Amino acid sequence: MFEIEIDRDACDGIFACLTRDERFIEDDDGLATVDPNAAGVVSVSRDGDRVVATVDGDIDDANLAAKACPPNAIVIREAET
Ligand code: SF4
């Protein structure tokens, strides 16, 4: 299990993340979020400018998305159990 955190204040809608990990999607504000219906996504919550998704699945694509994000708006970390 791991978490994807997106800082929507830093996100500038370039969407490099979407091409690396299909769990990332564009929301109605034109910024990145995580698709709550994507395979392996356990939960997605929003707190102000922060989106945090808990995911049970492959972490490699998420790490690629984080590395590809120009403003470093994505953090990937192991979920607390
Ligand atoms: S790559 Fe980064 S800046 Fe671009 S949409 Fe994704 S999270 Fe936002």
Side-chain angles (χ1 to χ4, degrees), residues 6 10-18 24 31-32 65 68-74:
I6 304 170
C11 173
D12 57 10
I14 298 165
F15 298 126
C17 53
L18 271 64
F24 286 79
L31 299 175
C69 176
N72 294 316
I74 302 169

Side-chain angles (χ1 to χ4, degrees), residues 6-33:
I6 304 170
D7 178 355
R8 291 165 52 85
D9 192 40
C11 173
D12 57 10
I14 298 165
F15 298 126
C17 53
L18 271 64
T19 65
R20 268 72 173 191
D21 187 335
E22 62 186 14
R23 294 168 292 210
F24 286 79
I25 56 171
E26 179 179 358
D27 72 5
D28 292 341
D29 297 325
L31 299 175
T33 189

Side-chain angles (χ1 to χ4, degrees), residues 1-4 16-17 19-24 55-69 74-78:
M1 285 269 246
F2 65 98
E3 290 181 343
I4 299 171
C17 53
T19 65
R20 268 72 173 191
D21 187 335
E22 62 186 14
R23 294 168 292 210
F24 286 79
V55 180
D56 185 7
D58 178 40
I59 198 170
D60 292 344
D61 285 353
N63 279 324
L64 287 175
K67 281 188 192 141
C69 176
I74 302 169
V75 173
I76 309 298
R77 59 175 171 258
E78 295 293 327

